[in-house]
Amino acid sequence: MNVAEFRKRGKEMVDYVADYMEGIHRRQVYPDVEPGYLRPLIPDSAPQEPETFENIMKDIEQIIMPGVTHWHSPYFFAYFPTASSYPAMLADMLSGAIGCIGFSWIASPACTELETVMLDWLGKMINLPEAFLAGRDGEGGGVIQGSASEATLVTLLAARTKVIRQLQAKSPGLTEGAIMDKLVAYASDQSHSSVERAGLIGGVKLKMIPSDDKFSLRGSALQKILDEDKAAGLIPFFVVATLGTTPCCSFDNLLELGPICNKENIWMHIDAAYAGSAFICPEFRHFLNGVEFADSYNFNPHKWLLVNFDCSAMWVKKRADLIGAFKLDPLYLQHHNQESGLVTDYRHWQIPLGRRFRSLKMWFVFRMYGVKGLQAYIRKHVKLSHEFESLVRQDSRFEICAEVVLGLVCFRIKGSNELNEMLLERINKAKKIHLVPCHLQDKFVLRFAICSRTVESIHIQQAWQHITELVAELLKEGKEQKMN
């Protein structure tokens, strides 16, 4: 493909993408394919001779699109949102064109410096304490990770390295293995599975602490298990507090957990993957109160802030703790500015070496929407979730299972888990809308998450009508079976 054809095909692709987004509501949200559907539709090996762009695009509609779950459909209410906006798409195009691998400042100074500034911009948007910002001479700073899972793992490994070095400095005879055997990390029983995975990869014990009746991790529960573990000779070193849990969007109590972690010299990491975007709105910022006690904080603009995947924003109070855990400096990666104090080499802040120019997406989105535009987007989703909540509460056959705070409604039919499992199966089998479940206090619960950038009240109303029609059929069948 030469530049002339690129110009032509690029315009065609933009038109295709625009048509896809504009007409996504007409596509079936959930694919109607079986595992292994794709392999028989394409050759066993790559073509020896070039193929035409036209043929590739035909295969997009005939082969790829039938197997796509349309996450940006206004009828997609599963998981949590994944962000999508035209400014972010355009920025990704530019990032791909520049094609730098920004592992160090010298590898592309703009890539590094824009990221530092964008993380400061975003930190100020959510009113993070100054200690988390890089500024001109701060000790903290932000970095873009690929996901919240990576952020949790990176901070756990940094905390592990820090405590091992501290203990070995006090007792030089202690081996790393002896310390590792006693290290313990903690999280709520509502925390994401990625926290457990971080413990597995990090080779440390991870204990899940029971949450309270509002699915929140409280200080008293943490202190109890810390006292027990220290008495048993274990070494508590890392706590993950979640703001906006995946099952029901509950919030751990930072104002109770934070002082305990500071007193016990335990690294506190805050995972606000979904909910963190809402903190740009002053009315939701109070959920972040207590962040001043944390060592690290993370949320995903690629979930709810219109910045396309991947873009997970992570801040640390002391970047030296992070760099100290990951810094390796072979000659071929060194440059004469790295010790200047004015330069950040992000390869020391993450697990991979290479990194894309992801901050361009933030820059485009923040400038083209403005803070007010992003706030309006968040508020619209919250309003729609309360609209759905109101519909559920008006129907005596249903119950709300957790407080509706942001864009997630947890609900179920009053009755057995089996009945609710059957309802979800019928919802997803019909493929008009898409939902996923969770368990709350041994109850099988349906999650209704406001996801799409284009979702409106009409889609909420249609989804509810569809659900109630399926429930009516289900209950009618149940009565007929009892009569028989």
Side-chain angles (χ1 to χ4, degrees):
M1 182 181 287
N2 58 29
V3 69
E5 187 178 5
F6 176 72
R7 290 181 189 276
K8 179 176 185 292
R9 302 308 186 186
K11 291 170 184 174
E12 290 174 5
M13 181 59 80
V14 168
D15 284 342
Y16 179 84
V17 170
D19 289 344
Y20 169 72
M21 298 303 293
E22 192 174 33
I24 197 170
H25 63 284
R26 290 190 290 271
R27 295 180 183 262
Q28 183 174 281
V29 63
Y30 196 48
D32 194 16
V33 297
E34 297 297 326
Y37 91 96
L38 189 142
R39 183 173 287 275
L41 302 178
I42 60 177
D44 286 337
S45 56
Q48 294 298 313
E49 299 295 333
E51 295 188 33
T52 65
F53 187 80
E54 287 89 351
N55 285 345
I56 295 171
M57 290 307 296
K58 286 177 184 176
D59 285 346
I60 293 293
E61 279 299 327
Q62 294 174 6
I63 298 173
I64 301 302
M65 283 299 174
V68 170
T69 300
H70 297 286
W71 281 65
H72 303 292
S73 166
Y75 299 110
F76 183 93
F77 302 105
Y79 310 106
F80 275 133
T82 181
S84 176
S85 69
Y86 296 121
M89 293 180 207
L90 294 173
D92 250 350
M93 283 180 62
L94 180 57
S95 174
I98 293 172
C100 64
I101 311 298
F103 47 76
S104 67
W105 180 84
I106 198 65
S108 197
C111 180
T112 294
E113 296 198 14
L114 186 64
E115 183 164 334
T116 303
V117 175
M118 287 302 99
L119 270 293
D120 275 2
W121 273 22
L122 185 54
K124 291 173 183 176
M125 285 162 63
I126 60 173
N127 197 23
L128 269 186
E130 193 74 23
F132 286 100
L133 306 182
R136 295 185 180 277
D137 54 5
E139 295 182 4
V143 59
I144 299 174
Q145 302 286 354
S147 67
S149 303
E150 288 179 40
T152 301
L153 175 59
V154 163
T155 52
L156 180 142
L157 295 175
R160 187 189 72 178
T161 298
K162 183 177 181 180
V163 72
I164 288 172
R165 289 175 179 170
Q166 287 175 340
L167 292 172
Q168 287 181 326
K170 292 179 182 177
S171 305
L174 274 177
T175 66
E176 184 173 318
I179 297 170
M180 287 276 290
D181 284 344
K182 296 183 178 182
L183 292 180
V184 190
Y186 305 87
S188 158
D189 59 5
Q190 299 297 309
S191 64
H192 194 270
S193 60
S194 61
V195 179
E196 187 174 0
R197 178 177 286 183
L200 288 172
I201 297 171
V204 298
K205 301 178 186 70
L206 178 72
K207 295 192 176 184
M208 298 298 190
I209 306 173
S211 53
D212 67 10
D213 59 353
K214 292 185 177 180
F215 310 105
S216 173
L217 178 57
R218 304 298 300 275
S220 56
L222 174 63
Q223 189 66 66
K224 181 177 181 293
I225 195 167
L226 292 180
D227 292 343
E228 292 171 355
D229 284 352
K230 287 193 297 180
L234 298 175
I235 305 171
F237 81 105
F238 187 71
V239 168
V240 177
T242 305
L243 301 180
T245 59
T246 300
C248 66
C249 198
S250 58
F251 293 79
D252 292 342
N253 194 314
L254 298 185
L255 292 172
E256 293 180 359
L257 302 174
I260 293 171
C261 290
N262 287 183
K263 180 187 68 174
E264 302 283 355
N265 195 29
I266 294 171
W267 184 303
M268 184 169 79
H269 174 67
I270 299 174
D271 173 9
Y274 162 67
S277 296
F279 304 154
I280 67 169
C281 300
E283 64 268 32
F284 302 124
R285 173 56 177 79
H286 65 94
F287 289 113
L288 192 53
N289 289 347
V291 67
E292 62 271 17
F293 297 109
D295 296 274
S296 52
Y297 172 69
N298 166 249
F299 82 92
N300 291 343
H302 68 230
K303 272 193 169 66
W304 205 14
L305 212 58
L306 296 173
V307 179
N308 289 42
F309 188 86
D310 59 334
C311 182
S312 186
M314 187 188 92
W315 292 265
V316 288
K317 269 184 181 170
K318 295 187 180 298
R319 59 178 177 266
D321 291 338
L322 204 59
I323 294 169
F326 297 105
K327 186 172 183 178
L328 292 171
D329 213 14
L331 181 61
Y332 52 81
L333 294 179
Q334 294 176 20
H335 57 93
H336 65 276
N337 286 305
Q338 65 185 36
E339 303 299 335
S340 69
L342 299 173
V343 165
T344 292
D345 283 350
Y346 277 125
R347 70 181 188 272
H348 304 312
W349 295 52
Q350 60 178 24
I351 293 169
L353 173 64
R355 51 205 336 274
R356 296 184 300 110
F357 202 164
R358 292 174 290 197
S359 58
L360 279 173
K361 294 183 289 190
M362 301 174 76
W363 198 42
F364 274 46
V365 169
F366 295 167
R367 293 181 69 183
M368 296 192 75
Y369 278 90
V371 175
K372 290 183 178 180
L374 295 170
Q375 289 172 334
Y377 177 69
I378 296 291
R379 288 168 179 149
K380 172 189 168 184
H381 274 203
V382 175
K383 181 180 178 182
L384 290 174
S385 75
H386 286 299
E387 179 179 342
F388 185 80
E389 176 194 15
S390 177
L391 293 170
V392 175
R393 291 191 183 279
Q394 290 170 32
D395 192 322
S396 61
R397 298 171 297 178
F398 292 86
E399 60 182 336
I400 295 290
C401 303
E403 183 182 2
V404 179
V405 179
L406 297 177
L408 176 66
V409 181
C410 292
F411 73 106
R412 69 196 302 273
I413 313 172
K414 293 175 182 176
S416 68
N417 283 347
E418 182 183 13
L419 184 65
N420 283 278
E421 289 170 10
M422 291 170 64
L423 173 59
L424 182 64
E425 183 180 1
R426 294 194 180 197
I427 288 171
N428 287 332
K429 190 175 181 180
K431 299 179 175 27
K432 290 185 177 181
I433 62 174
H434 185 33
L435 306 181
V436 295
C438 69
H439 276 110
L440 294 176
Q441 295 176 340
D442 298 323
K443 289 183 177 181
F444 186 90
V445 173
L446 282 66
R447 298 170 72 262
F448 189 95
I450 309 299
C451 292
S452 171
R453 177 176 54 83
T454 59
V455 67
E456 300 289 348
S457 175
I458 184 63
H459 304 114
I460 305 301
Q461 298 290 334
Q462 290 172 353
W464 177 244
Q465 181 180 350
H466 178 57
I467 291 168
T468 54
E469 288 171 356
L470 293 176
V471 167
E473 292 174 8
L474 193 59
L475 296 178
K476 181 181 179 182
E477 291 173 10
K479 287 180 181 179
E480 289 174 351
Q481 288 174 3
K482 285 182 180 179
M483 291 173 66
N484 294 335

Short mmCIF file of all heavy atoms in Angstrom, two decimals, residues 91-103 107-108 111 354-358 360:
data_model
loop_
_atom_site.label_atom_id
_atom_site.label_comp_id
_atom_site.label_asym_id
_atom_site.label_seq_id
_atom_site.Cartn_x
_atom_site.Cartn_y
_atom_site.Cartn_z
N ALA A 91 -6.76 10.06 17.91
CA ALA A 91 -5.46 10.09 18.59
C ALA A 91 -4.74 8.76 18.45
O ALA A 91 -3.50 8.72 18.29
CB ALA A 91 -5.66 10.45 20.06
N ASP A 92 -5.48 7.67 18.51
CA ASP A 92 -4.87 6.35 18.33
C ASP A 92 -4.30 6.19 16.93
O ASP A 92 -3.26 5.55 16.73
CB ASP A 92 -5.90 5.25 18.61
CG ASP A 92 -5.60 4.48 19.89
OD1 ASP A 92 -4.50 4.67 20.45
OD2 ASP A 92 -6.45 3.69 20.34
N MET A 93 -4.99 6.75 15.94
CA MET A 93 -4.46 6.73 14.57
C MET A 93 -3.10 7.44 14.51
O MET A 93 -2.14 6.93 13.93
CB MET A 93 -5.43 7.41 13.61
CG MET A 93 -6.64 6.60 13.22
SD MET A 93 -7.72 7.51 12.07
CE MET A 93 -6.64 7.76 10.66
N LEU A 94 -3.04 8.59 15.15
CA LEU A 94 -1.80 9.36 15.14
C LEU A 94 -0.70 8.63 15.90
O LEU A 94 0.46 8.59 15.47
CB LEU A 94 -2.04 10.74 15.75
CG LEU A 94 -0.84 11.68 15.82
CD1 LEU A 94 -0.23 11.89 14.43
CD2 LEU A 94 -1.23 13.01 16.44
N SER A 95 -1.08 8.01 17.04
CA SER A 95 -0.10 7.23 17.81
C SER A 95 0.47 6.11 16.96
O SER A 95 1.69 5.86 16.97
CB SER A 95 -0.76 6.66 19.06
OG SER A 95 0.12 5.80 19.75
N GLY A 96 -0.41 5.43 16.20
CA GLY A 96 0.06 4.36 15.33
C GLY A 96 0.98 4.87 14.24
O GLY A 96 1.93 4.20 13.85
N ALA A 97 0.69 6.07 13.75
CA ALA A 97 1.52 6.65 12.68
C ALA A 97 2.90 7.04 13.21
O ALA A 97 3.92 6.77 12.58
CB ALA A 97 0.82 7.86 12.08
N ILE A 98 2.93 7.70 14.37
CA ILE A 98 4.22 8.08 14.97
C ILE A 98 5.01 6.82 15.30
O ILE A 98 6.22 6.74 15.05
CB ILE A 98 3.99 8.96 16.21
CG1 ILE A 98 3.39 10.30 15.79
CG2 ILE A 98 5.30 9.17 16.98
CD1 ILE A 98 2.94 11.18 16.95
N GLY A 99 4.32 5.85 15.91
CA GLY A 99 4.90 4.53 16.10
C GLY A 99 6.13 4.48 16.98
O GLY A 99 6.97 3.59 16.82
N CYS A 100 6.25 5.40 17.91
CA CYS A 100 7.43 5.37 18.80
C CYS A 100 7.24 4.30 19.89
O CYS A 100 6.13 3.92 20.23
CB CYS A 100 7.67 6.73 19.43
SG CYS A 100 6.34 7.29 20.52
N ILE A 101 8.34 3.83 20.43
CA ILE A 101 8.32 2.89 21.54
C ILE A 101 8.91 3.64 22.74
O ILE A 101 10.11 3.65 22.97
CB ILE A 101 9.14 1.61 21.24
CG1 ILE A 101 8.75 1.03 19.88
CG2 ILE A 101 8.97 0.59 22.35
CD1 ILE A 101 7.30 0.58 19.78
N GLY A 102 8.06 4.27 23.50
CA GLY A 102 8.51 5.29 24.45
C GLY A 102 9.00 4.77 25.78
O GLY A 102 8.51 5.19 26.83
N PHE A 103 9.98 3.87 25.77
CA PHE A 103 10.45 3.30 27.03
C PHE A 103 11.33 4.26 27.83
O PHE A 103 11.48 4.10 29.03
CB PHE A 103 11.20 1.98 26.79
CG PHE A 103 12.22 2.03 25.69
CD1 PHE A 103 13.44 2.65 25.87
CD2 PHE A 103 11.96 1.42 24.48
CE1 PHE A 103 14.39 2.69 24.86
CE2 PHE A 103 12.90 1.45 23.45
CZ PHE A 103 14.12 2.08 23.64
N ALA A 107 13.89 8.09 23.85
CA ALA A 107 13.24 7.30 22.80
C ALA A 107 12.13 8.08 22.12
O ALA A 107 11.74 7.76 21.00
CB ALA A 107 12.69 5.99 23.39
N SER A 108 11.60 9.08 22.80
CA SER A 108 10.66 10.04 22.22
C SER A 108 10.25 11.00 23.32
O SER A 108 9.31 10.73 24.08
CB SER A 108 9.43 9.36 21.62
OG SER A 108 8.77 10.25 20.76
N CYS A 111 6.55 11.81 23.96
CA CYS A 111 5.76 10.68 24.47
C CYS A 111 5.84 10.63 26.00
O CYS A 111 4.82 10.47 26.68
CB CYS A 111 6.28 9.38 23.86
SG CYS A 111 5.42 7.89 24.40
N GLY A 354 8.55 -1.83 26.28
CA GLY A 354 7.94 -0.95 25.29
C GLY A 354 6.62 -0.36 25.75
O GLY A 354 5.92 -0.93 26.58
N ARG A 355 6.29 0.79 25.17
CA ARG A 355 5.02 1.45 25.51
C ARG A 355 4.63 2.36 24.36
O ARG A 355 5.47 2.98 23.72
CB ARG A 355 5.11 2.22 26.81
CG ARG A 355 6.25 3.17 26.94
CD ARG A 355 6.68 3.47 28.38
NE ARG A 355 5.65 3.26 29.34
CZ ARG A 355 4.71 4.16 29.70
NH1 ARG A 355 4.68 5.32 29.09
NH2 ARG A 355 3.84 3.88 30.63
N ARG A 356 3.31 2.42 24.09
CA ARG A 356 2.81 3.25 23.01
C ARG A 356 2.59 4.69 23.48
O ARG A 356 2.63 4.97 24.68
CB ARG A 356 1.48 2.68 22.49
CG ARG A 356 1.61 1.31 21.86
CD ARG A 356 0.30 0.81 21.28
NE ARG A 356 -0.76 0.71 22.28
CZ ARG A 356 -1.82 1.49 22.34
NH1 ARG A 356 -1.98 2.47 21.47
NH2 ARG A 356 -2.74 1.32 23.26
N PHE A 357 2.30 5.55 22.54
CA PHE A 357 2.07 6.97 22.83
C PHE A 357 0.60 7.14 23.25
O PHE A 357 -0.19 7.79 22.58
CB PHE A 357 2.38 7.79 21.56
CG PHE A 357 2.69 9.24 21.82
CD1 PHE A 357 3.32 10.00 20.83
CD2 PHE A 357 2.36 9.87 23.01
CE1 PHE A 357 3.60 11.35 21.02
CE2 PHE A 357 2.64 11.22 23.22
CZ PHE A 357 3.26 11.95 22.22
N ARG A 358 0.25 6.55 24.41
CA ARG A 358 -1.15 6.52 24.84
C ARG A 358 -1.66 7.85 25.36
O ARG A 358 -2.87 8.10 25.37
CB ARG A 358 -1.33 5.43 25.91
CG ARG A 358 -1.16 4.03 25.35
CD ARG A 358 -1.20 2.97 26.43
NE ARG A 358 -0.03 3.02 27.29
CZ ARG A 358 0.35 2.02 28.09
NH1 ARG A 358 -0.35 0.91 28.14
NH2 ARG A 358 1.42 2.14 28.86
N LEU A 360 -1.59 10.63 24.05
CA LEU A 360 -2.25 11.42 23.00
C LEU A 360 -3.77 11.31 23.11
O LEU A 360 -4.49 12.28 22.89
CB LEU A 360 -1.81 10.93 21.62
CG LEU A 360 -0.47 11.43 21.10
CD1 LEU A 360 -0.12 10.71 19.80
CD2 LEU A 360 -0.49 12.94 20.89
#
